[in-house]
Amino acid sequence: MKILNSFKSYYLHKNPVFVSLLSICPLLTATSSVNTAFYMSCCISIVIVLSEVIVSMFKNIIPKDITIHFTVIVTSTIVTIVYLGTRALYPGNFALLSYAIPLLVVNCLVRSKVRKFALNEDVVRSFLDGVLTSVSIFITLMIVSIFREFFSTGSLLLGKYYISVLPKGFFPLFFGEYTGAFFAVGIISFIMNIIRHDNSAVIHEEEV
Amino acid sequence: MSFSDAILFSIGVILFQNIILTNFLGVCTFFTDLYKDRPFHSMFIGTAFLITTNSVISHLVYDNLLVPNGLEFLFIVIFALISYIIIQLTEILSKRFSRFLKKNMSTVLPLIVTNCLLFGTSILTVKKDYPLNELILFCIVASFGYTFTLYVYSYIIADIDEASIIEPAKGMPIGFIILAIISLTFSGLSA
C-alpha cells in the first residue's frame, strides 16, 4: 500500500510526460489504437531498461570525452534489435510502428535518463529507475490510447477481446486522426493538471 | 519535375504533410522559450541548412554504401551518428569559417540539437525514396513549414500568455489545443 501511494505521488508530481514534457512524440504517433500503444510501450520499456543498465555497467571504462557518442551507439543498437525483432515476430503491428520505433533513438526521455541518471548511478538503481519510468510511460500511453480509441470508434479492442460500447459511427473519426491526437493530449494533460492541483492543495492544508 | 509540379508539391508539403502536424517531429520545441524573439528568416535558413545537409548525406550513404553491401539493417545506427556528427561539425565550423552561418545557426542549434527533427526527416525521406532533386526541395519546403508553424504558434501563445485563463490550463494543455486548431485549419484547406 505504501509502494502504491509513493508511486501515485511519483506519477502525479514527477511524471516524465505531463510534468517534464519529455517523450511527446510516441505519445502522439502511436496512440491511435490500444493495440499499437501497448506494443509501443513494450518497445520503449525494453529500450529504456536495457540502455540504462548497459550504460551504467560501462560508465567507468568509457573516457569522458566520448560518453555522448557511446550512449548514442548503445541506444541505437538496442533500437535496431527491437526494430528487427518486431519485424520478425509481429509483422501486423510492425506496419503501424515502422516509423515510430527508429525515432526512439532520439527520444528525449531515453536520452535524458541515460545521460543524467545512468552515467552517475550504479546498475541496480539504474535498472529500478528504468522499470519505474517504463511503468509510468505505459500507464500514460494506455490512458491516451483508450481515450482516443473510445472517442473515435465507440469500442475498445484489447488483445483478442472486442468490447463494443456504442454503435459504429456514433462519434466522428476525429480523434483517430492526427488532429485529434493534439486535442486528446491537451484534454488529458488538462485533467492531470487539475488532479495535481487538488492533490497539492490537500498537502498544503495538512502542512498548515 | 516541372515548375508547376514543384509549386503544387511545395504547397502540399507545407500545408497538408506538415512535418510537425502530421508526423509529429519536433513538437518538444514548441514548449520551450527558445524560439521567442527570433527573426523568421534566420530560423528558416538555419533549419533548412541543417535538415537539407543531413538528409542528403544520409540518402547518399544509404544508397551508395548500405544497399550495395546488404547492410540496410544498420540504417538506424548510421543515421543517428550522421545527425550527431553534422550538428557538431556545424557548430565547430560555423564558428570558425562562416559568419553568415554562425549568426543564423546560433538561433537554431539550441532548438534542434536534442530533438527528432533531423533524424526523423532522414528516416522519412528514406522511406519515401525521393530522387535527389525532389529530396532537396522536400527538405527546404519542410523546414519552411516547420518555421511557419512555429511562427504562427509563437504569435498566438504570446497573446495567450497575457489573457486570463484558468491556472490548470496554462502551459502544456493550452499549447496542445492551439496546435490542434492550427492543424485543423491546415487540414481544412485540403478539402
Side-chain angles (χ1 to χ4, degrees), chain A residues 89-122:
Chain A
L89 296 174
Y90 306 104
N93 291 301
F94 178 75
L96 299 167
L97 292 176
S98 65
Y99 170 65
I101 291 176
L103 281 183
L104 286 179
V105 177
V106 282
N107 192 305
C108 331
L109 182 61
V110 180
R111 298 243 57 75
S112 76
K113 281 290 168 195
V114 166
R115 262 192 219 169
K116 287 183 185 155
F117 202 89
L119 279 174
N120 302 321
E121 301 282 346
D122 57 349

PDB file of all heavy atoms in Angstrom, chain A residues 89-122:
ATOM      1  N   LEU A  89       8.667 -10.882 -35.449  1.00  0.00           N
ATOM      2  CA  LEU A  89       7.683 -11.564 -34.598  1.00  0.00           C
ATOM      3  C   LEU A  89       6.257 -11.035 -34.787  1.00  0.00           C
ATOM      4  O   LEU A  89       5.303 -11.793 -34.735  1.00  0.00           O
ATOM      5  CB  LEU A  89       8.087 -11.426 -33.127  1.00  0.00           C
ATOM      6  CG  LEU A  89       9.395 -12.103 -32.740  1.00  0.00           C
ATOM      7  CD1 LEU A  89       9.744 -11.769 -31.313  1.00  0.00           C
ATOM      8  CD2 LEU A  89       9.285 -13.604 -32.906  1.00  0.00           C
ATOM      9  N   TYR A  90       6.107  -9.723 -34.959  1.00  0.00           N
ATOM     10  CA  TYR A  90       4.761  -9.149 -35.050  1.00  0.00           C
ATOM     11  C   TYR A  90       4.628  -8.323 -36.325  1.00  0.00           C
ATOM     12  O   TYR A  90       4.602  -7.088 -36.265  1.00  0.00           O
ATOM     13  CB  TYR A  90       4.473  -8.262 -33.829  1.00  0.00           C
ATOM     14  CG  TYR A  90       4.680  -8.968 -32.530  1.00  0.00           C
ATOM     15  CD1 TYR A  90       5.802  -8.710 -31.765  1.00  0.00           C
ATOM     16  CD2 TYR A  90       3.760  -9.899 -32.073  1.00  0.00           C
ATOM     17  CE1 TYR A  90       6.011  -9.359 -30.576  1.00  0.00           C
ATOM     18  CE2 TYR A  90       3.965 -10.548 -30.878  1.00  0.00           C
ATOM     19  CZ  TYR A  90       5.091 -10.276 -30.133  1.00  0.00           C
ATOM     20  OH  TYR A  90       5.297 -10.922 -28.958  1.00  0.00           O
ATOM     21  N   PRO A  91       4.593  -8.973 -37.495  1.00  0.00           N
ATOM     22  CA  PRO A  91       4.550  -8.205 -38.759  1.00  0.00           C
ATOM     23  C   PRO A  91       3.308  -7.343 -38.883  1.00  0.00           C
ATOM     24  O   PRO A  91       3.353  -6.286 -39.519  1.00  0.00           O
ATOM     25  CB  PRO A  91       4.600  -9.289 -39.834  1.00  0.00           C
ATOM     26  CG  PRO A  91       4.275 -10.548 -39.154  1.00  0.00           C
ATOM     27  CD  PRO A  91       4.651 -10.412 -37.728  1.00  0.00           C
ATOM     28  N   GLY A  92       2.202  -7.743 -38.248  1.00  0.00           N
ATOM     29  CA  GLY A  92       0.984  -6.952 -38.341  1.00  0.00           C
ATOM     30  C   GLY A  92       1.132  -5.605 -37.671  1.00  0.00           C
ATOM     31  O   GLY A  92       0.716  -4.570 -38.203  1.00  0.00           O
ATOM     32  N   ASN A  93       1.763  -5.599 -36.483  1.00  0.00           N
ATOM     33  CA  ASN A  93       1.959  -4.337 -35.779  1.00  0.00           C
ATOM     34  C   ASN A  93       3.120  -3.543 -36.336  1.00  0.00           C
ATOM     35  O   ASN A  93       3.170  -2.333 -36.186  1.00  0.00           O
ATOM     36  CB  ASN A  93       2.214  -4.604 -34.292  1.00  0.00           C
ATOM     37  CG  ASN A  93       0.983  -5.125 -33.635  1.00  0.00           C
ATOM     38  OD1 ASN A  93      -0.037  -4.465 -33.642  1.00  0.00           O
ATOM     39  ND2 ASN A  93       1.066  -6.326 -33.111  1.00  0.00           N
ATOM     40  N   PHE A  94       4.056  -4.253 -36.972  1.00  0.00           N
ATOM     41  CA  PHE A  94       5.240  -3.558 -37.476  1.00  0.00           C
ATOM     42  C   PHE A  94       4.864  -2.535 -38.543  1.00  0.00           C
ATOM     43  O   PHE A  94       5.460  -1.461 -38.626  1.00  0.00           O
ATOM     44  CB  PHE A  94       6.225  -4.575 -38.049  1.00  0.00           C
ATOM     45  CG  PHE A  94       7.436  -3.939 -38.638  1.00  0.00           C
ATOM     46  CD1 PHE A  94       8.418  -3.419 -37.811  1.00  0.00           C
ATOM     47  CD2 PHE A  94       7.592  -3.830 -40.004  1.00  0.00           C
ATOM     48  CE1 PHE A  94       9.526  -2.811 -38.349  1.00  0.00           C
ATOM     49  CE2 PHE A  94       8.699  -3.218 -40.536  1.00  0.00           C
ATOM     50  CZ  PHE A  94       9.664  -2.718 -39.700  1.00  0.00           C
ATOM     51  N   ALA A  95       3.836  -2.859 -39.330  1.00  0.00           N
ATOM     52  CA  ALA A  95       3.425  -1.924 -40.377  1.00  0.00           C
ATOM     53  C   ALA A  95       2.998  -0.585 -39.794  1.00  0.00           C
ATOM     54  O   ALA A  95       3.240   0.464 -40.383  1.00  0.00           O
ATOM     55  CB  ALA A  95       2.283  -2.535 -41.186  1.00  0.00           C
ATOM     56  N   LEU A  96       2.371  -0.628 -38.591  1.00  0.00           N
ATOM     57  CA  LEU A  96       1.921   0.616 -37.971  1.00  0.00           C
ATOM     58  C   LEU A  96       3.046   1.333 -37.228  1.00  0.00           C
ATOM     59  O   LEU A  96       3.016   2.542 -37.067  1.00  0.00           O
ATOM     60  CB  LEU A  96       0.783   0.317 -36.989  1.00  0.00           C
ATOM     61  CG  LEU A  96      -0.456  -0.300 -37.610  1.00  0.00           C
ATOM     62  CD1 LEU A  96      -1.364  -0.834 -36.530  1.00  0.00           C
ATOM     63  CD2 LEU A  96      -1.177   0.740 -38.431  1.00  0.00           C
ATOM     64  N   LEU A  97       4.045   0.564 -36.741  1.00  0.00           N
ATOM     65  CA  LEU A  97       5.066   1.149 -35.877  1.00  0.00           C
ATOM     66  C   LEU A  97       6.392   1.363 -36.582  1.00  0.00           C
ATOM     67  O   LEU A  97       7.341   1.815 -35.960  1.00  0.00           O
ATOM     68  CB  LEU A  97       5.298   0.244 -34.667  1.00  0.00           C
ATOM     69  CG  LEU A  97       4.148   0.142 -33.687  1.00  0.00           C
ATOM     70  CD1 LEU A  97       4.479  -0.856 -32.602  1.00  0.00           C
ATOM     71  CD2 LEU A  97       3.870   1.473 -33.053  1.00  0.00           C
ATOM     72  N   SER A  98       6.487   1.036 -37.870  1.00  0.00           N
ATOM     73  CA  SER A  98       7.796   1.056 -38.531  1.00  0.00           C
ATOM     74  C   SER A  98       8.393   2.446 -38.564  1.00  0.00           C
ATOM     75  O   SER A  98       9.596   2.603 -38.688  1.00  0.00           O
ATOM     76  CB  SER A  98       7.661   0.538 -39.955  1.00  0.00           C
ATOM     77  OG  SER A  98       6.850   1.422 -40.683  1.00  0.00           O
ATOM     78  N   TYR A  99       7.563   3.469 -38.446  1.00  0.00           N
ATOM     79  CA  TYR A  99       8.078   4.831 -38.426  1.00  0.00           C
ATOM     80  C   TYR A  99       8.388   5.285 -37.005  1.00  0.00           C
ATOM     81  O   TYR A  99       9.323   6.056 -36.782  1.00  0.00           O
ATOM     82  CB  TYR A  99       7.046   5.751 -39.073  1.00  0.00           C
ATOM     83  CG  TYR A  99       7.330   7.208 -38.909  1.00  0.00           C
ATOM     84  CD1 TYR A  99       8.443   7.780 -39.491  1.00  0.00           C
ATOM     85  CD2 TYR A  99       6.483   8.013 -38.167  1.00  0.00           C
ATOM     86  CE1 TYR A  99       8.708   9.104 -39.330  1.00  0.00           C
ATOM     87  CE2 TYR A  99       6.740   9.342 -38.007  1.00  0.00           C
ATOM     88  CZ  TYR A  99       7.858   9.881 -38.587  1.00  0.00           C
ATOM     89  OH  TYR A  99       8.123  11.200 -38.419  1.00  0.00           O
ATOM     90  N   ALA A 100       7.647   4.774 -36.020  1.00  0.00           N
ATOM     91  CA  ALA A 100       7.789   5.282 -34.653  1.00  0.00           C
ATOM     92  C   ALA A 100       8.959   4.644 -33.908  1.00  0.00           C
ATOM     93  O   ALA A 100       9.540   5.276 -33.046  1.00  0.00           O
ATOM     94  CB  ALA A 100       6.505   5.059 -33.874  1.00  0.00           C
ATOM     95  N   ILE A 101       9.295   3.384 -34.232  1.00  0.00           N
ATOM     96  CA  ILE A 101      10.343   2.711 -33.461  1.00  0.00           C
ATOM     97  C   ILE A 101      11.727   3.326 -33.680  1.00  0.00           C
ATOM     98  O   ILE A 101      12.431   3.596 -32.712  1.00  0.00           O
ATOM     99  CB  ILE A 101      10.336   1.193 -33.741  1.00  0.00           C
ATOM    100  CG1 ILE A 101       9.087   0.557 -33.156  1.00  0.00           C
ATOM    101  CG2 ILE A 101      11.558   0.525 -33.132  1.00  0.00           C
ATOM    102  CD1 ILE A 101       8.961  -0.900 -33.467  1.00  0.00           C
ATOM    103  N   PRO A 102      12.187   3.606 -34.940  1.00  0.00           N
ATOM    104  CA  PRO A 102      13.512   4.216 -35.090  1.00  0.00           C
ATOM    105  C   PRO A 102      13.656   5.547 -34.378  1.00  0.00           C
ATOM    106  O   PRO A 102      14.750   5.900 -33.945  1.00  0.00           O
ATOM    107  CB  PRO A 102      13.640   4.412 -36.601  1.00  0.00           C
ATOM    108  CG  PRO A 102      12.761   3.421 -37.190  1.00  0.00           C
ATOM    109  CD  PRO A 102      11.616   3.274 -36.256  1.00  0.00           C
ATOM    110  N   LEU A 103      12.538   6.283 -34.209  1.00  0.00           N
ATOM    111  CA  LEU A 103      12.621   7.582 -33.548  1.00  0.00           C
ATOM    112  C   LEU A 103      12.955   7.472 -32.070  1.00  0.00           C
ATOM    113  O   LEU A 103      13.257   8.466 -31.430  1.00  0.00           O
ATOM    114  CB  LEU A 103      11.301   8.332 -33.701  1.00  0.00           C
ATOM    115  CG  LEU A 103      11.076   8.998 -35.043  1.00  0.00           C
ATOM    116  CD1 LEU A 103       9.784   9.742 -35.030  1.00  0.00           C
ATOM    117  CD2 LEU A 103      12.198   9.953 -35.332  1.00  0.00           C
ATOM    118  N   LEU A 104      12.926   6.236 -31.503  1.00  0.00           N
ATOM    119  CA  LEU A 104      13.283   6.085 -30.088  1.00  0.00           C
ATOM    120  C   LEU A 104      14.746   6.416 -29.835  1.00  0.00           C
ATOM    121  O   LEU A 104      15.126   6.682 -28.703  1.00  0.00           O
ATOM    122  CB  LEU A 104      13.006   4.650 -29.628  1.00  0.00           C
ATOM    123  CG  LEU A 104      11.554   4.268 -29.434  1.00  0.00           C
ATOM    124  CD1 LEU A 104      11.462   2.834 -29.003  1.00  0.00           C
ATOM    125  CD2 LEU A 104      10.956   5.142 -28.367  1.00  0.00           C
ATOM    126  N   VAL A 105      15.584   6.409 -30.891  1.00  0.00           N
ATOM    127  CA  VAL A 105      16.997   6.752 -30.710  1.00  0.00           C
ATOM    128  C   VAL A 105      17.133   8.169 -30.184  1.00  0.00           C
ATOM    129  O   VAL A 105      17.938   8.451 -29.300  1.00  0.00           O
ATOM    130  CB  VAL A 105      17.750   6.621 -32.044  1.00  0.00           C
ATOM    131  CG1 VAL A 105      19.180   7.034 -31.883  1.00  0.00           C
ATOM    132  CG2 VAL A 105      17.681   5.224 -32.549  1.00  0.00           C
ATOM    133  N   VAL A 106      16.324   9.090 -30.734  1.00  0.00           N
ATOM    134  CA  VAL A 106      16.438  10.490 -30.331  1.00  0.00           C
ATOM    135  C   VAL A 106      15.338  10.893 -29.363  1.00  0.00           C
ATOM    136  O   VAL A 106      15.103  12.073 -29.153  1.00  0.00           O
ATOM    137  CB  VAL A 106      16.412  11.411 -31.557  1.00  0.00           C
ATOM    138  CG1 VAL A 106      17.740  11.405 -32.234  1.00  0.00           C
ATOM    139  CG2 VAL A 106      15.329  11.015 -32.508  1.00  0.00           C
ATOM    140  N   ASN A 107      14.655   9.878 -28.792  1.00  0.00           N
ATOM    141  CA  ASN A 107      13.609  10.173 -27.820  1.00  0.00           C
ATOM    142  C   ASN A 107      14.188  10.925 -26.627  1.00  0.00           C
ATOM    143  O   ASN A 107      15.178  10.509 -26.042  1.00  0.00           O
ATOM    144  CB  ASN A 107      13.010   8.836 -27.358  1.00  0.00           C
ATOM    145  CG  ASN A 107      11.764   9.004 -26.583  1.00  0.00           C
ATOM    146  OD1 ASN A 107      11.752   9.722 -25.606  1.00  0.00           O
ATOM    147  ND2 ASN A 107      10.716   8.364 -26.999  1.00  0.00           N
ATOM    148  N   CYS A 108      13.548  12.048 -26.263  1.00  0.00           N
ATOM    149  CA  CYS A 108      14.109  12.895 -25.198  1.00  0.00           C
ATOM    150  C   CYS A 108      14.162  12.146 -23.875  1.00  0.00           C
ATOM    151  O   CYS A 108      15.093  12.325 -23.090  1.00  0.00           O
ATOM    152  CB  CYS A 108      13.263  14.142 -25.015  1.00  0.00           C
ATOM    153  SG  CYS A 108      12.400  14.714 -26.449  1.00  0.00           S
ATOM    154  N   LEU A 109      13.173  11.292 -23.616  1.00  0.00           N
ATOM    155  CA  LEU A 109      13.123  10.589 -22.329  1.00  0.00           C
ATOM    156  C   LEU A 109      14.299   9.629 -22.193  1.00  0.00           C
ATOM    157  O   LEU A 109      14.999   9.630 -21.179  1.00  0.00           O
ATOM    158  CB  LEU A 109      11.796   9.842 -22.225  1.00  0.00           C
ATOM    159  CG  LEU A 109      11.547   9.101 -20.939  1.00  0.00           C
ATOM    160  CD1 LEU A 109      11.541  10.057 -19.791  1.00  0.00           C
ATOM    161  CD2 LEU A 109      10.241   8.368 -20.997  1.00  0.00           C
ATOM    162  N   VAL A 110      14.522   8.823 -23.251  1.00  0.00           N
ATOM    163  CA  VAL A 110      15.634   7.871 -23.220  1.00  0.00           C
ATOM    164  C   VAL A 110      16.952   8.617 -23.072  1.00  0.00           C
ATOM    165  O   VAL A 110      17.805   8.276 -22.246  1.00  0.00           O
ATOM    166  CB  VAL A 110      15.630   7.021 -24.509  1.00  0.00           C
ATOM    167  CG1 VAL A 110      16.765   6.039 -24.484  1.00  0.00           C
ATOM    168  CG2 VAL A 110      14.327   6.311 -24.680  1.00  0.00           C
ATOM    169  N   ARG A 111      17.114   9.685 -23.855  1.00  0.00           N
ATOM    170  CA  ARG A 111      18.371  10.439 -23.823  1.00  0.00           C
ATOM    171  C   ARG A 111      18.617  11.045 -22.443  1.00  0.00           C
ATOM    172  O   ARG A 111      19.711  10.943 -21.900  1.00  0.00           O
ATOM    173  CB  ARG A 111      18.368  11.548 -24.866  1.00  0.00           C
ATOM    174  CG  ARG A 111      18.249  11.098 -26.282  1.00  0.00           C
ATOM    175  CD  ARG A 111      19.476  11.451 -27.098  1.00  0.00           C
ATOM    176  NE  ARG A 111      20.665  10.899 -26.506  1.00  0.00           N
ATOM    177  CZ  ARG A 111      21.002   9.620 -26.568  1.00  0.00           C
ATOM    178  NH1 ARG A 111      20.215   8.764 -27.205  1.00  0.00           N
ATOM    179  NH2 ARG A 111      22.086   9.182 -26.007  1.00  0.00           N
ATOM    180  N   SER A 112      17.573  11.678 -21.863  1.00  0.00           N
ATOM    181  CA  SER A 112      17.809  12.345 -20.587  1.00  0.00           C
ATOM    182  C   SER A 112      18.034  11.320 -19.479  1.00  0.00           C
ATOM    183  O   SER A 112      18.856  11.538 -18.587  1.00  0.00           O
ATOM    184  CB  SER A 112      16.633  13.253 -20.245  1.00  0.00           C
ATOM    185  OG  SER A 112      15.565  12.487 -19.807  1.00  0.00           O
ATOM    186  N   LYS A 113      17.313  10.186 -19.513  1.00  0.00           N
ATOM    187  CA  LYS A 113      17.515   9.164 -18.480  1.00  0.00           C
ATOM    188  C   LYS A 113      18.928   8.612 -18.556  1.00  0.00           C
ATOM    189  O   LYS A 113      19.595   8.432 -17.539  1.00  0.00           O
ATOM    190  CB  LYS A 113      16.510   8.028 -18.657  1.00  0.00           C
ATOM    191  CG  LYS A 113      15.148   8.338 -18.122  1.00  0.00           C
ATOM    192  CD  LYS A 113      15.171   8.390 -16.631  1.00  0.00           C
ATOM    193  CE  LYS A 113      13.877   9.001 -16.135  1.00  0.00           C
ATOM    194  NZ  LYS A 113      13.957   9.412 -14.748  1.00  0.00           N
ATOM    195  N   VAL A 114      19.386   8.329 -19.800  1.00  0.00           N
ATOM    196  CA  VAL A 114      20.709   7.742 -19.943  1.00  0.00           C
ATOM    197  C   VAL A 114      21.785   8.731 -19.517  1.00  0.00           C
ATOM    198  O   VAL A 114      22.726   8.394 -18.793  1.00  0.00           O
ATOM    199  CB  VAL A 114      20.919   7.291 -21.403  1.00  0.00           C
ATOM    200  CG1 VAL A 114      22.371   6.998 -21.652  1.00  0.00           C
ATOM    201  CG2 VAL A 114      20.102   6.061 -21.684  1.00  0.00           C
ATOM    202  N   ARG A 115      21.630   9.990 -19.918  1.00  0.00           N
ATOM    203  CA  ARG A 115      22.683  10.968 -19.635  1.00  0.00           C
ATOM    204  C   ARG A 115      22.701  11.391 -18.183  1.00  0.00           C
ATOM    205  O   ARG A 115      23.745  11.496 -17.571  1.00  0.00           O
ATOM    206  CB  ARG A 115      22.468  12.205 -20.503  1.00  0.00           C
ATOM    207  CG  ARG A 115      23.323  12.186 -21.726  1.00  0.00           C
ATOM    208  CD  ARG A 115      23.273  13.534 -22.374  1.00  0.00           C
ATOM    209  NE  ARG A 115      23.232  13.372 -23.816  1.00  0.00           N
ATOM    210  CZ  ARG A 115      22.977  14.375 -24.629  1.00  0.00           C
ATOM    211  NH1 ARG A 115      22.715  15.556 -24.156  1.00  0.00           N
ATOM    212  NH2 ARG A 115      22.967  14.177 -25.923  1.00  0.00           N
ATOM    213  N   LYS A 116      21.507  11.677 -17.622  1.00  0.00           N
ATOM    214  CA  LYS A 116      21.502  12.258 -16.286  1.00  0.00           C
ATOM    215  C   LYS A 116      21.485  11.210 -15.197  1.00  0.00           C
ATOM    216  O   LYS A 116      21.931  11.467 -14.091  1.00  0.00           O
ATOM    217  CB  LYS A 116      20.278  13.175 -16.130  1.00  0.00           C
ATOM    218  CG  LYS A 116      20.462  14.455 -16.902  1.00  0.00           C
ATOM    219  CD  LYS A 116      19.313  15.391 -16.710  1.00  0.00           C
ATOM    220  CE  LYS A 116      19.472  16.608 -17.588  1.00  0.00           C
ATOM    221  NZ  LYS A 116      18.186  17.229 -17.896  1.00  0.00           N
ATOM    222  N   PHE A 117      20.938  10.038 -15.461  1.00  0.00           N
ATOM    223  CA  PHE A 117      20.821   9.038 -14.398  1.00  0.00           C
ATOM    224  C   PHE A 117      21.867   7.932 -14.531  1.00  0.00           C
ATOM    225  O   PHE A 117      22.643   7.701 -13.619  1.00  0.00           O
ATOM    226  CB  PHE A 117      19.412   8.452 -14.395  1.00  0.00           C
ATOM    227  CG  PHE A 117      19.031   7.844 -13.093  1.00  0.00           C
ATOM    228  CD1 PHE A 117      18.443   8.614 -12.106  1.00  0.00           C
ATOM    229  CD2 PHE A 117      19.290   6.515 -12.833  1.00  0.00           C
ATOM    230  CE1 PHE A 117      18.126   8.070 -10.890  1.00  0.00           C
ATOM    231  CE2 PHE A 117      18.971   5.966 -11.613  1.00  0.00           C
ATOM    232  CZ  PHE A 117      18.385   6.748 -10.642  1.00  0.00           C
ATOM    233  N   ALA A 118      21.878   7.267 -15.708  1.00  0.00           N
ATOM    234  CA  ALA A 118      22.678   6.052 -15.810  1.00  0.00           C
ATOM    235  C   ALA A 118      24.170   6.333 -15.768  1.00  0.00           C
ATOM    236  O   ALA A 118      24.953   5.494 -15.336  1.00  0.00           O
ATOM    237  CB  ALA A 118      22.335   5.306 -17.098  1.00  0.00           C
ATOM    238  N   LEU A 119      24.587   7.526 -16.202  1.00  0.00           N
ATOM    239  CA  LEU A 119      26.026   7.832 -16.176  1.00  0.00           C
ATOM    240  C   LEU A 119      26.528   8.145 -14.770  1.00  0.00           C
ATOM    241  O   LEU A 119      27.723   8.234 -14.548  1.00  0.00           O
ATOM    242  CB  LEU A 119      26.327   9.003 -17.103  1.00  0.00           C
ATOM    243  CG  LEU A 119      26.452   8.668 -18.592  1.00  0.00           C
ATOM    244  CD1 LEU A 119      26.597   9.918 -19.394  1.00  0.00           C
ATOM    245  CD2 LEU A 119      27.626   7.736 -18.836  1.00  0.00           C
ATOM    246  N   ASN A 120      25.591   8.348 -13.801  1.00  0.00           N
ATOM    247  CA  ASN A 120      26.034   8.701 -12.450  1.00  0.00           C
ATOM    248  C   ASN A 120      25.720   7.643 -11.406  1.00  0.00           C
ATOM    249  O   ASN A 120      26.237   7.725 -10.295  1.00  0.00           O
ATOM    250  CB  ASN A 120      25.369  10.016 -12.014  1.00  0.00           C
ATOM    251  CG  ASN A 120      25.693  11.131 -12.960  1.00  0.00           C
ATOM    252  OD1 ASN A 120      26.813  11.222 -13.443  1.00  0.00           O
ATOM    253  ND2 ASN A 120      24.722  11.972 -13.253  1.00  0.00           N
ATOM    254  N   GLU A 121      24.831   6.689 -11.723  1.00  0.00           N
ATOM    255  CA  GLU A 121      24.384   5.756 -10.681  1.00  0.00           C
ATOM    256  C   GLU A 121      24.851   4.341 -10.987  1.00  0.00           C
ATOM    257  O   GLU A 121      25.337   4.065 -12.080  1.00  0.00           O
ATOM    258  CB  GLU A 121      22.842   5.772 -10.604  1.00  0.00           C
ATOM    259  CG  GLU A 121      22.268   7.125 -10.298  1.00  0.00           C
ATOM    260  CD  GLU A 121      22.374   7.498  -8.833  1.00  0.00           C
ATOM    261  OE1 GLU A 121      22.650   6.601  -8.019  1.00  0.00           O
ATOM    262  OE2 GLU A 121      22.180   8.678  -8.523  1.00  0.00           O
ATOM    263  N   ASP A 122      24.674   3.436  -9.996  1.00  0.00           N
ATOM    264  CA  ASP A 122      25.108   2.056 -10.215  1.00  0.00           C
ATOM    265  C   ASP A 122      24.032   1.254 -10.943  1.00  0.00           C
ATOM    266  O   ASP A 122      22.951   1.774 -11.243  1.00  0.00           O
ATOM    267  CB  ASP A 122      25.491   1.390  -8.886  1.00  0.00           C
ATOM    268  CG  ASP A 122      24.340   1.430  -7.908  1.00  0.00           C
ATOM    269  OD1 ASP A 122      23.378   2.154  -8.210  1.00  0.00           O
ATOM    270  OD2 ASP A 122      24.377   0.754  -6.879  1.00  0.00           O
TER     271      ASP A 122
END
